[in-house]
Structure formats: structure tokens, C-alpha cells
Amino acid sequence: MAQTVRLAVNGVARVEEVEPRLLLVHFLRERCGLTGTHVGCDTSQCGACTVLCDGAPVKSCTMLTVQAEGMAITTIEGLAPPGEMHPLQTAFWESHGLQCGFCTPGFIMAASALLAENPDPTDEELGRGLEGNLCRCTGYVNIRRAVHAAAKAIREGSAAPTAVGG
Amino acid sequence: MIPAAFGYSRATSVADAVAQLGSAGPDSKLIAGGQSLLPMMRLRLAQPEHLIDVNGLRELDYITPKDGRLLVGAMTRHATLVRSEVVRRHLPLLSEIASEVGDPQVRSRGTIGGVMAHADAAGDYPTLALMMDATIVTDRRRIPARDFFQHLFTTSLAPDELVCEVDFPVATGAHRYLKFRRRLFDWAIVGVGVQMSDDGWRVGITHAGPTAVRAHAVESALRSGANPKEAAEHATDGLHPTSDVHASSEYRLHLAEVLTRRALEQAA
Ligand SMILES: Cc1cc2nc3c(=O)[nH]c(=O)nc-3n(C[C@H](O)[C@H](O)[C@H](O)COP(=O)(O)OP(=O)(O)OC[C@H]3O[C@@H](n4cnc5c(N)ncnc54)[C@H](O)[C@@H]3O)c2cc1C
Ligand code: FES
Ligand code: FES
């Protein structure tokens, strides 16, 4: 039986009828057309589906849409205003933090949650903060470099971070 | 994969959750953080007909120090435990363990009550609950941890019973939790916790059997003056771990001993 769910996605309020079994990731991709959030596994391990729910990083494949009732969801599309790039996006580009790019939206969302809590992570803290995300291409070195570069850019205010969590 | 279809309702109170579990029948289940249940439903290892969501029960989300105890509500999420100054002050080993559960995303959603009720052999908090003689408080009774965990995925909870709280003793002495796994977010292949308490060392072992165990033989060796290396030789007493894709039984026994020694040596 379909249920009504009220939530905000990237600042837009939505009221939707959904089946309880509709996973948040499928809602975002198929109902909202926000295909930047990826599905990379069936086992809740890869983190490609990471979004922010009220600012907290969550694997959207491991949450029901009905459980997002009343929440503000931020996806990779909502991290920066349209036409602009978040410092993390710029840094992944400039530091070659991706190869195929499949894991990138998840890494950027997880990194944005990490930097919101810890603006100047040590390399170890950075690794721990991204432990829920897998990359099959890069070997992580440039991902670390990109997140450190973004952290620095945000700290130095050369690029103000977009407020996350709606 | 997409889970099989199910009905869904939200519990409005503890009493309502219990009543709904009773009336929705044997194929209904509570959903808390969903970090164990939803992966199983996606693989169709679990196909409940009805889910009762307890995420709205904010009254079960608390961390309260009281008369030498630390009371933790079942809906307290791993991330809340990691950040809590109160936990760091009253039971720092719980902070340490919480920060080793899963990854940041799992910690945003998963709850301590869910880990207890799920009773995975590799769950990290059951080890702490057993070694510290914690009590699991439900909607109707208080269950000592040693009577709560019965077997793999099996607890002494009745089908319509709700975990409401975990009641730990305060302990601020030297402690350490060492968790051996291949990738940071993985479950423990084996884990060992040690805590100095008023009556000496407490030692618990994760994933060297169907449930966590308290290593009584190690504790009494330490009380009789054994050093960490000598005491750790007793870590495998009475253990019969199974072999699986992650590790053979022999390797688990080896890890139990080595991690016990290291945890005792590194405890601070
Ligand atoms: C990638 C990944 C890695 C993980 N690694 C670890 C790890 O290293 N260590 C670890 O301990 N856990 C780990 N977990 C599991 C995680 O900690 C889960 O959060 C936890 O096992 C279940 O808690 P939950 O709140 O998510 O419960 P749910 O998944 O919602 O529920 C689990 C079960 O418990 C029942 N239940 C939940 N709450 C209650 C309650 N209050 N009363 C009675 N029954 C209840 C449900 O009906 C269900 O049967 C991992 C999970 C993932 C996805
Ligand atoms: S799709 Fe892999 S963790 Fe969500
Ligand atoms: S860039 Fe290909 S998976 Fe990470």
C-alpha cells in the first residue's frame, strides 16, 4: 500500500506517494531524476549512493524513502548552486580524484560530511572519514589529495562551502 | 536488489510498538537503523510482511549517567555514541568501540538496540555488554547480558519484545578494543576488548564463536599475577570458532590470543 511521504530534496519540498519498499536511492534516481547518486553494490558496502539526510551521511540504498519523512536530503546535484561547483568538486577535478567517476558523487558527499565536522582532518582522520566508500580505479591517493585540497580551500575562504543539509 | 513488498507503519510509543508487533503477527519486524535488516531484505534473506518503524521513538534516544551506571537508550545511534562527551567520561571503551562499528554512513543510522537485538556473531557491543555484565532492559524485564545472547542471531527476546535500554556499569580505567579486519568498514574477523575495573581486568572476545564471550580464564590468570603474554594463552580456552570465507577456525584462535595480549599491553 502506497504511503505519503513529505521531504525536501536539494531544498525543494516534495509530497509523494511511495511504496514502503522503495529505497531512497531509487526514489532520488527514478522519481526525482537525480541520477548523480549511484548504485554500486547490493550489500551496503560501496558508498556510491551516499547522500546527506539532515546533514548526516547515509547510504541511500540502505534507507527506505518512507523513513526520510520530514528530512532534508542533499544529493551531489544540490551541493552547489546550479552552474557552480562546490570546492570539493573543483578539487576532485584539479587533483584528478577520479578515473571512471562512478564512485565520485558518493566520495564527495561523504567528504562534505567529514569536512563539516572536521575542517582540517589529518590524513588518518580523512581515511577514517571515507572508510565507507570504495573506489575501484584510483587507489585513493588522488582522492585523499583532492579532499585535503578542498579542506584547505574552504578553510582559507577562497571558496565558501555551500551549507549542507538544506 | 529491491526488497520484497511489505506493509509499513510507525510506532508512536513503546507500548504501541509492542501492541503492533502482537497484532501484526509473526512475520512482522521492527526496523530501527535498518543497517542490518535492509541489507538482508535487499538480498531477500529476510522477507518480513510488515515493518514497524521505531525511529520516531525519541524517548529511547538518551545517554544518562546514574549512580555508577551509564544508561543508553536503544535508539541511540552509533554516531551519537562516538560524539558523546558523557560516554567518553563514563565509559570511554564504549566510545572507542562505537567508532569502530561499520563506517560513518552506517554509524549515522545504526542503533545500539539494533546491534543487541540482531545478535550478529561479529557485533561489537555485545562483547562489551558481556564482559561488563551489562543489563538489557526491555519493555517488560531486565535481562543480564549473559542470558540475553543465546546463539547466532538468537536472543532471549520474545517475538513481541522491544529492547529499550542497555544499562552498563561506569568504568574509566585502562581499556582497549582491538578489532582485526581486512578493510576498515568490515565486521571483526576477531575482536578483543579489555577494561580495568574495580575487581580487576574484564576481557571479552568478538566473533570467535556464535556469540561474543567473556574470557573468564584470562581474567583469573591476570588476577593471579600472570603477565599479558601468559594470560593471553588462556584466551582460547573453551572457544570453538567456525571457519568461513574470512578466516579458518585455527586462524581465529590465533587472533584471539594475539589480540588479547596486544590489547592488554596497549590498554591505557
Ligand atoms: C557495511 C556495514 C558494516 C557494518 N559493520 C558493523 C560492525 O563492524 N560491527 C557491528 O556491530 N555492526 C556492524 N554493522 C551493523 C550495524 O551496526 C547495524 O546498525 C546493527 O547491526 C543493527 O542496528 P540497526 O539499528 O541498524 O537495526 P535494524 O537493521 O533496523 O534491525 C536489526 C534487527 O534488530 C531488530 N531490532 C532493532 N531494534 C530493536 C529493538 N529496539 N528491540 C528489538 N528488536 C530490535 C530488528 O527487528 C531486526 O531484526 C554494519 C552494517 C553495515 C551495512
Ligand atoms: S549502493 Fe553500495 S552502499 Fe549503497
Ligand atoms: S573512479 Fe572509478 S570507481 Fe572510483
Side-chain angles (χ1 to χ4, degrees):
Chain A
M1 252 254 296
Q3 306 238 344
T4 307
V5 60
R6 291 169 204 77
L7 73 177
V9 180
N10 296 334
V12 179
R14 306 183 74 115
V15 182
E16 303 267 349
E17 294 288 311
V18 298
E19 260 195 85
R21 68 165 161 171
L22 184 68
L23 299 171
L24 182 60
V25 69
H26 294 131
F27 172 78
L28 293 169
R29 290 178 56 85
E30 289 156 26
R31 281 288 180 91
C32 306
L34 298 169
T35 53
T37 304
H38 294 165
V39 181
C41 73
D42 265 331
T43 48
S44 303
Q45 288 178 312
C46 75
C49 62
T50 302
V51 300
L52 303 179
C53 293
D54 289 339
V58 163
K59 290 176 178 172
S60 61
C61 71
T62 313
M63 183 164 162
L64 303 171
T65 311
V66 286
Q67 293 188 296
E69 170 76 26
M71 286 187 177
I73 313 297
T74 309
T75 71
I76 186 73
E77 291 89 345
L79 204 53
E84 290 176 34
M85 288 217 286
H86 186 274
L88 275 162
Q89 292 169 306
T90 309
F92 268 69
W93 184 344
E94 289 177 348
S95 307
H96 303 286
L98 61 140
Q99 289 178 22
C100 80
F102 193 84
C103 67
T104 312
F107 266 100
I108 289 183
M109 297 315 289
S112 75
L114 168 69
L115 297 185
E117 194 165 328
N118 182 355
D120 190 8
T122 62
D123 205 46
E124 201 207 324
E125 288 164 349
L126 191 153
R128 292 302 309 263
L130 301 179
E131 69 194 3
N133 294 72
L134 292 175
C135 175
R136 300 286 78 170
C137 304
T138 63
Y140 302 102
V141 173
N142 285 357
I143 293 178
R144 287 172 178 272
R145 201 172 285 157
V147 178
H148 280 306
K152 186 156 179 278
I154 295 169
R155 282 197 314 276
E156 290 172 356
S158 57
T162 311
V164 292
Chain B
M1 260 172 39
I2 296 170
F6 53 83
Y8 174 87
S9 55
R10 297 191 179 95
T12 55
S13 66
V14 170
D16 179 49
V18 174
Q20 286 200 42
L21 272 173
S23 60
D27 288 327
S28 63
K29 261 195 171 302
L30 299 175
I31 181 165
Q35 301 301 294
S36 287
L37 187 54
L38 289 174
M40 289 176 67
M41 288 172 63
R42 288 177 75 201
L43 296 172
R44 306 226 174 167
L45 296 171
Q47 295 200 17
E49 273 174 17
H50 191 90
L51 290 186
I52 300 153
D53 193 334
V54 289
N55 282 278
L57 303 184
R58 298 332 300 164
E59 64 268 36
L60 296 184
D61 182 1
Y62 57 83
I63 300 169
T64 312
K66 194 179 162 201
D67 307 331
R69 315 288 305 178
L70 186 70
L71 313 180
V72 181
M75 282 307 298
T76 308
R77 299 190 198 273
H78 310 318
T80 309
L81 290 169
V82 175
R83 292 197 188 105
S84 165
E85 197 45 54
V86 175
V87 174
R88 254 194 299 279
R89 232 175 314 121
H90 293 86
L91 188 55
L93 184 55
L94 177 57
S95 301
E96 189 176 327
I97 292 179
S99 71
E100 299 282 326
V101 172
D103 52 49
Q105 293 92 320
V106 169
R107 293 195 287 272
S108 292
R109 297 288 302 162
T111 66
I112 190 168
V115 174
M116 297 297 175
H118 192 60
D120 193 295
D124 294 300
Y125 302 126
T127 310
L128 182 65
L130 280 164
M131 63 189 258
M132 297 312 292
D133 275 328
T135 302
I136 317 297
V137 183
T138 76
D139 59 277
R140 63 201 69 168
R141 57 188 169 141
R142 301 175 57 84
I143 310 174
R146 63 179 170 278
D147 299 332
F148 183 83
F149 301 103
Q150 301 199 321
H151 205 23
L152 186 61
F153 300 127
T154 310
T155 67
S156 52
L157 287 173
D160 65 344
E161 193 167 4
L162 190 86
V163 175
C164 294
E165 180 183 283
V166 187
D167 173 345
F168 292 103
V170 164
T172 54
H175 59 273
R176 192 81 171 101
Y177 187 65
L178 290 180
K179 180 170 169 178
F180 190 84
R181 67 258 211 233
R182 298 203 179 281
R183 298 168 299 189
L184 279 173
F185 63 77
D186 279 333
W187 299 77
I189 295 176
V190 170
V192 171
V194 301
Q195 171 76 58
M196 177 51 89
S197 69
D198 296 342
D199 59 0
W201 285 105
R202 298 292 187 98
V203 181
I205 305 180
T206 308
H207 210 187
T211 69
V213 292
R214 180 169 166 195
H216 288 285
V218 178
E219 293 178 7
S220 48
L222 288 163
R223 262 195 301 276
S224 326
N227 65 31
K229 182 167 185 309
E230 293 157 354
E233 284 165 13
H234 295 280
T236 56
D237 289 10
L239 293 184
H240 303 284
T242 49
S243 299
D244 60 25
V245 291
H246 300 291
S248 65
S249 174
E250 295 73 32
Y251 188 51
R252 285 208 157 86
L253 292 172
H254 171 73
L255 284 175
E257 178 173 340
V258 171
L259 294 177
T260 300
R261 174 175 56 74
R262 286 188 192 161
L264 288 167
E265 287 169 353
Q266 294 174 19

